[in-house]
Amino acid sequence: MSSHGIGHFFRIGILAAAGVFLVSACKTVGPDFEKPDVPVADNWLEAGNKNVDTSSASYQDWWEVFDDPVLTELIDTAYKQNLSLQVAGLRVMEARAQLGIATGLKYPQSQSVGGGYAYSRSSINAPPLSSLPEDVLQGVDRTAGIWTANFDVAWEADVWGKFSRGVEAADANLAANMLNYDAVLVTLTGDVAALYASIRALQERLDYAYTNVKLQQQALDLANSRFELGATSELDVQQARGLFYNTQSLIPIFELNIERAVNALSFLLGMPPSNLDTLLGSSRKIPAAPATVAVGIPADLLRRRPDVRAAEMAAAAQSASIGISQAELYPSFVLAGSLGLAGGSFSDLFDGGATTGFITPFFKWNIFNYGRIKNNVRVQDARFEQAITTYQNTALAAAKEVQDGLQGFLRTQEQVGHLSDAVVASKRAAELALAQYRQGAADYTRVLNTQTALLQQQDTLTAARGQVVTNLVSTYKALGGGWQLREGSNYVKPDLIDTMMDRTDWGELLSTPGQATSANK
């Protein structure tokens, strides 16, 4: 092809590309996503309680309100090592790569460079050589070789916004995965704190069991002494012994429950079941919960809870899928072409006349598949409505969880106040009963009843104090606090980034935080 031919080729290509570009200026089909409405209460049911602050919401690093360094260290360890959180971070990386794929489809979808050498030999027994006289055949070269090099490209114009909607869907999916990571982190911090509170409550209950065993041992020794002196019957001894052994039987149960809670905590910390004595320290005391909790207003949940926002982004991604499927109802316009070199020898490829090429604008239209395509649009629309309903249900569930946690926190606070008074009275009653029994002024039944009541009320009080902390943790968890722990950090830990970079070329996807445009909407 001459230089004039090459220029003509490019002029035709430019005109064809311009034509396809103009065609691509058509409107984008499908709905534009709008945030669905959710019924939200103006305030919490307990807004009038003096221990509820609705003027602000304290949820960032909420575990600091307990002023417990051990709890802070456990949450930090879980953030660094929890495997479920690492999986959520890797899903963010996957979604980033998927967004790159969707963005790339807006440009020429097929681009390839090829080359090769073809050698052929013709048969004299097949046309056209078979029709030539034998003397002519002797002068014919029956072999041929050709060298080729070519660049092929095909570009489907984004006439109806199919690829733009694909980018929207991928962007919303990335945002949803980022928010799902935050939701996993919220759950993780809440679960670690709840387990820690449970362990501390069990440890205190175990300590109370040991204390009561000592108290009941004293009563048993006294009953034995009085029985040996003939001051009482064997009934007192057996009653004292029964209570003593029954209390002792609680100890292995408490120890078992502590061991299982420690195993569960080990799992959240990303380590095999192990002895956490070093991490847990020697405190054995339930964290002190503040009297007041700052919860803000219900409308804040829609902006703060990662799982609510993730459900919103999932609906946004599905909305874009409607447009992608609707675009299949219309014709697609494609510009394909090839520019290459061809020659009988390798050196001929660099000759001015070796250029070859073609350009072919064309369109295709699936006019006989309208039933299938329309039903696919209906499928995507039904899924979109499901996603909207899921979002609304997630928002309502979030409000319910806050309300449950808040009410539990306030009611167990009240319970602890009453139980504290009951334990003081029961302890005094047990002391008086034992003193009267020692003096012979009361029978052992009174000692038995007061010591049984003391054990039960001390245990109930300790469990209730643990529930105060657990309910407060549930409230903070329901408010969506804790995900701020990862701010300024990547979703994948540095050692894992190094491993993946050694295995695969990830470019900057792993080493930069990256944001989806939908994430901040």
Side-chain angles (χ1 to χ4, degrees):
M1 185 182 292
S2 65
S3 60
H4 174 74
I6 296 175
H8 183 64
F9 176 83
F10 278 110
R11 283 193 294 274
I12 294 175
I14 292 171
L15 289 173
V20 173
F21 176 78
L22 290 173
V23 170
S24 69
C26 295
K27 67 171 290 186
T28 299
V29 299
D32 293 326
F33 179 72
E34 295 182 2
K35 186 174 181 177
D37 292 329
V38 178
V40 179
D42 294 332
N43 220 326
W44 306 110
L45 296 176
E46 305 297 330
N49 192 293
K50 62 183 177 64
N51 291 333
V52 177
D53 179 11
T54 59
S55 63
S56 64
S58 176
Y59 57 89
Q60 185 171 340
D61 297 341
W62 52 262
W63 47 90
E64 299 290 350
V65 303
F66 296 107
D67 193 23
D68 191 322
V70 175
L71 175 58
T72 299
E73 184 179 0
L74 289 173
I75 288 177
D76 186 61
T77 302
Y79 169 62
K80 293 176 180 177
Q81 298 181 178
N82 182 264
L83 298 182
S84 295
L85 188 63
Q86 290 184 26
V87 170
L90 291 169
R91 290 194 178 116
V92 173
M93 299 301 108
E94 178 186 349
R96 285 183 186 173
Q98 292 287 355
L99 177 58
I101 293 173
T103 302
L105 289 176
K106 297 184 69 174
Y107 304 97
Q109 293 87 15
S110 175
Q111 306 165 63
S112 62
V113 175
Y117 173 73
Y119 174 82
S120 63
R121 179 180 176 87
S122 302
S123 169
I124 61 174
N125 296 326
L129 297 184
S130 61
S131 61
L132 298 178
E134 187 174 339
D135 57 338
V136 176
L137 283 174
Q138 293 178 358
V140 174
D141 185 359
R142 296 162 54 198
T143 63
I146 182 170
W147 290 86
T148 60
N150 56 281
F151 171 67
D152 301 326
V153 63
W155 175 37
E156 179 182 342
D158 195 17
V159 180
W160 313 109
K162 176 172 68 175
F163 301 123
S164 297
R165 292 297 189 194
V167 173
E168 284 182 27
D171 186 62
N173 181 62
L174 172 57
N177 276 279
M178 293 163 65
L179 292 163
N180 282 331
Y181 176 93
D182 290 346
V184 171
L185 186 51
V186 167
T187 300
L188 177 62
T189 56
D191 288 352
V192 168
L195 268 176
Y196 176 70
S198 177
I199 290 171
R200 290 308 194 204
L202 286 167
Q203 288 175 333
E204 281 203 28
R205 292 171 73 186
L206 176 61
D207 290 344
Y208 272 122
Y210 277 118
T211 299
N212 277 276
V213 164
K214 292 179 180 178
L215 178 64
Q216 291 164 16
Q217 178 69 65
Q218 294 174 5
L220 175 59
D221 292 343
L222 179 59
N224 268 320
S225 298
R226 287 175 58 80
F227 173 64
E228 290 172 357
L229 292 173
T232 187
S233 69
E234 185 185 354
L235 176 60
D236 290 1
V237 175
Q238 297 305 329
Q239 284 182 315
R241 186 171 292 157
L243 178 60
F244 173 75
Y245 288 127
N246 182 70
T247 303
Q248 277 194 324
S249 72
L250 299 176
I251 292 174
I253 299 300
F254 286 138
E255 290 176 338
L256 173 62
N257 290 333
I258 291 171
E259 289 164 354
R260 287 179 173 174
V262 168
N263 291 342
L265 183 58
S266 297
F267 175 75
L268 293 182
L269 299 182
M271 58 181 67
S274 55
N275 191 331
L276 298 181
D277 286 348
T278 302
L279 276 175
L280 291 173
S282 58
S283 169
R284 298 179 69 87
K285 295 298 181 183
I286 300 171
T292 303
V293 56
V295 295
I297 58 175
D300 291 339
L301 278 183
L302 304 184
R303 297 183 294 269
R304 185 170 58 240
R305 278 265 301 226
D307 59 334
V308 174
R309 296 176 60 210
E312 178 189 343
M313 289 300 99
Q318 186 55 42
S319 174
S321 296
I322 297 175
I324 296 172
S325 60
Q326 282 185 341
E328 297 293 333
L329 292 168
Y330 305 98
S332 58
F333 298 87
V334 182
L335 174 64
S338 177
L339 179 64
L341 302 170
S345 65
F346 185 75
S347 60
D348 288 342
L349 292 177
F350 306 101
D351 185 82
T355 307
T356 65
F358 74 88
I359 291 178
T360 171
F362 66 93
F363 78 94
K364 57 181 179 178
W365 197 350
N366 297 317
I367 59 174
F368 297 112
N369 293 322
Y370 261 39
R372 174 183 58 81
I373 296 172
K374 282 187 174 181
N375 278 305
N376 186 45
V377 174
R378 294 163 184 156
V379 167
Q380 302 308 321
D381 188 60
R383 289 177 179 173
F384 176 55
E385 285 298 329
Q386 294 172 40
I388 289 176
T389 305
T390 298
Y391 164 70
Q392 294 170 332
N393 190 59
T394 303
L396 288 175
K400 172 188 174 296
E401 289 169 9
V402 174
Q403 195 65 67
D404 287 346
L406 189 57
Q407 290 171 335
F409 172 65
L410 297 173
R411 300 299 173 261
T412 48
Q413 274 188 325
E414 295 174 8
Q415 182 188 24
V416 165
H418 297 310
L419 285 172
S420 297
D421 293 338
V423 166
V424 171
S426 294
K427 187 174 182 181
R428 180 59 179 160
E431 292 171 352
L432 291 173
L434 189 61
Q436 290 176 3
Y437 179 68
R438 183 179 290 110
Q439 297 168 2
D443 60 18
Y444 191 79
T445 301
R446 182 172 296 178
V447 175
L448 178 70
N449 291 339
T450 55
Q451 289 190 345
T452 300
L454 176 62
L455 173 62
Q456 291 175 343
Q457 289 172 3
Q458 284 178 330
D459 187 67
T460 304
L461 171 61
T462 307
R465 289 176 53 234
Q467 281 298 310
V468 170
V469 177
T470 302
N471 284 317
L472 184 56
V473 168
S474 297
T475 303
Y476 284 126
K477 179 180 173 182
L479 287 169
W483 61 265
Q484 297 84 358
L485 188 62
R486 62 92 181 153
E487 287 185 320
S489 303
N490 207 333
Y491 292 91
V492 178
K493 303 306 173 188
D495 55 342
L496 189 53
I497 289 177
D498 293 340
T499 300
M500 295 176 69
M501 291 291 286
D502 288 342
R503 184 173 59 239
T504 305
D505 179 13
W506 276 86
E508 297 182 353
L509 289 184
L510 292 178
S511 57
T512 56
Q515 294 291 329
T517 57
S518 299
N520 298 318
K521 289 182 179 179

